[in-house]
Amino acid sequence: MASYDPQKIEKKWQQKWEASDIFTVKEDLKKKKNKYYVLEMYPYPSGEGLHMGHLRNYSIGDVFTRFKRMCGYNVLYPMGYDSFGLPAENAAIDQNANPEEWTNANMKLMKGQQKRIGLSYDWTRMIYSHDPYYYRWDQWFFLKMFERSLAYRQESYVNWCPSCATVLANEQVQSGQCWRCNSEVEQKFLTQWFLKIRTYAEELLDGLNKVDWPEKVKIMQRNWIGKSEGSIIKFPIAGEDRSIDIFTTRADTLFGATFMVFAPEHPWVKTWVKSTKYEKDFIKFYDDVMRQDKFERTDIEVIKKGMFIRKYAINPMTKEEIPIYIGNFVIYEYGALCD
Ligand SMILES: [Zn+2]
């Protein structure tokens, strides 16, 4: 052979593989071989097909799978598509197409590309996350979590595009605007579903000590789990019967607390400023903050803004009144769940 001609050689062998079902995994009932399972990320079926990141990722899995087969393992190596949900829905709206037809066409395109690369998947074991036979299990999982109070509803702020009439993920908001229609994104207070993953913080942290991952990845994971130990201290609101719970990791520094900052979206704030001379300024401040991205609000580089609303809390240590401000860097939902 003078040169390697991929058009000729690869096609020939890929057809032979297909005709002989060479990659179809059969159950080894006599248990002659050890089992091995190789699983990769399922791609989202985009209209553009595979990108170079997919090629790199799936080549590694394929090489590893072929190696394991040659070592005598019965390797289960399936493929699937992450074809359900927001991205597929958005792409269909964008293309003015039926989401199912659009998704099916994209999967066909990507599957064809994956076959051309020569990836050795068992194509008889496909998973499509938009298939009711698949997502019924998502729903079953959800119900199991709901029965154990691990799924619960709570009011929270979401990014809302009034023109698309839909909730947007943080990644879909670009400098305060909807990525699809460029309308100004609003913050809307809506009832949302949450999963109580913090119940598993301890277990997740323990698990991290048992895996052989780079330290920087472990640090990111620990920060994401976000467990911190501290105390809840009650600060009474001056002139009212209620108090606010403050979480602190340094209860010994409480004597030094000389002011308190509320998130402008905290429901109490609205009632405090109502019919006062602060109401007008508050509404402007509130509207400005609601247009800011939540990550941006807490970003150390972003300018911190606040205003006094003539309200006081009582420092439980000194019994002294301390002024309450509202500030853009305080997020209403942050860290609200405790055990
Ligand atoms: Zn929009």
Side-chain angles (χ1 to χ4, degrees):
M1 183 171 61
S3 63
Y4 179 71
D5 180 357
Q7 302 296 345
K8 220 167 130 187
I9 294 167
E10 295 190 1
K11 211 173 198 175
K12 175 188 159 185
W13 288 105
Q14 284 164 13
Q15 278 167 356
K16 274 191 187 285
W17 294 341
E18 181 119 26
S20 61
D21 272 339
I22 195 171
F23 301 128
T24 304
V25 183
K26 289 169 197 81
E27 251 184 281
D28 176 25
L29 295 170
K30 288 178 185 149
K31 298 202 167 90
K32 280 191 196 151
K33 290 176 166 183
N34 285 324
K35 293 187 208 174
Y36 208 91
Y37 184 27
V38 180
L39 183 67
E40 294 154 351
M41 271 191 291
Y42 289 158
Y44 153 67
S46 120
E48 278 106 55
L50 298 182
H51 54 65
M52 289 309 288
H54 288 129
L55 187 62
R56 181 177 68 170
N57 186 33
Y58 299 135
S59 300
I60 297 167
D62 188 64
V63 168
F64 187 65
T65 301
R66 287 169 186 264
F67 171 72
K68 281 293 179 186
R69 284 191 196 116
M70 289 166 97
C71 292
Y73 286 89
N74 194 28
V75 187
L76 179 60
Y77 187 41
M79 196 6 78
Y81 296 103
D82 180 13
S83 47
F84 193 46
L86 211 58
E89 206 176 292
N90 281 333
I93 293 172
D94 214 38
Q95 300 293 322
N96 202 16
N98 174 317
E100 185 169 16
E101 286 165 17
W102 174 251
T103 303
N104 286 340
N106 291 347
M107 288 191 309
K108 204 175 155 206
L109 168 75
M110 287 178 81
K111 190 173 170 183
Q113 292 177 317
Q114 285 170 309
K115 283 190 175 180
R116 275 182 64 200
I117 300 167
L119 302 175
S120 59
Y121 298 119
D122 179 351
W123 294 106
T124 64
R125 297 171 189 263
M126 297 286 289
I127 277 173
Y128 312 97
S129 60
H130 75 298
D131 182 347
Y133 290 104
Y134 176 87
Y135 67 68
R136 69 183 291 250
W137 293 109
D138 280 342
Q139 293 170 339
W140 184 84
F141 275 125
F142 179 84
L143 289 173
K144 291 292 152 199
M145 288 196 262
F146 183 68
E147 283 162 18
R148 286 164 178 73
S149 306
L150 293 169
Y152 62 97
R153 297 184 90 184
Q154 190 175 297
E155 284 187 317
S156 165
Y157 281 90
V158 290
N159 303 309
W160 176 262
C161 173
S163 141
C164 300
T166 184
V167 171
L168 301 173
N170 284 323
E171 305 81 62
Q172 297 174 317
V173 182
Q174 286 153 2
S175 12
Q177 294 177 338
C178 170
W179 73 336
R180 196 188 297 138
C181 72
N182 293 330
S183 300
E184 195 135 312
V185 173
E186 295 171 0
Q187 295 293 309
K188 206 170 183 179
F189 205 51
L190 289 178
T191 306
Q192 306 285 306
W193 283 102
F194 290 87
L195 299 178
K196 210 171 171 184
I197 50 169
R198 281 179 217 207
T199 308
Y200 299 93
E202 206 63 56
E203 223 172 297
L204 289 167
L205 289 168
D206 278 353
L208 273 180
N209 296 327
K210 291 174 197 153
V211 290
D212 182 23
W213 290 356
E215 194 51 36
K216 67 171 184 188
V217 175
K218 288 190 183 185
I219 290 170
M220 284 194 305
Q221 290 286 319
R222 282 191 200 105
N223 289 342
W224 177 80
I225 294 165
K227 186 194 166 192
S228 44
E229 278 182 40
S231 327
I232 301 278
I233 314 277
K234 286 188 184 304
F235 275 65
I237 304 296
E240 294 189 17
D241 290 334
R242 55 188 173 185
S243 51
I244 183 105
D245 288 344
I246 302 295
F247 175 81
T248 177
T249 55
R250 294 288 310 272
D252 55 314
T253 63
L254 276 179
F255 287 95
T258 53
F259 67 97
M260 179 180 285
V261 187
F262 267 68
E265 64 266 36
H266 193 292
W268 293 359
V269 175
K270 215 170 268 177
T271 62
W272 287 339
V273 296
K274 200 166 173 50
S275 313
T276 69
K277 67 168 181 177
Y278 300 96
E279 190 172 17
K280 222 174 119 194
D281 288 343
F282 164 75
I283 291 167
K284 199 194 166 300
F285 185 84
Y286 176 89
D287 287 345
D288 285 349
V289 175
M290 287 300 108
R291 270 196 289 273
Q292 260 187 310
D293 175 84
K294 261 181 249 176
F295 291 111
E296 189 189 309
R297 281 170 67 181
T298 52
D299 189 335
I300 204 150
E301 303 288 331
V302 172
I303 294 172
K304 306 290 172 269
K305 287 182 198 157
M307 66 174 272
F308 180 50
I309 51 169
R310 196 170 280 281
K311 194 75 196 167
Y312 297 86
I314 295 162
N315 182 325
M317 297 295 161
T318 62
K319 307 287 178 213
E320 274 171 19
E321 285 195 353
I322 58 172
I324 295 175
Y325 295 85
I326 54 172
N328 62 343
F329 55 96
V330 181
I331 308 285
Y332 178 55
E333 308 98 275
Y334 179 78
L337 257 192
C338 301
D339 290 320

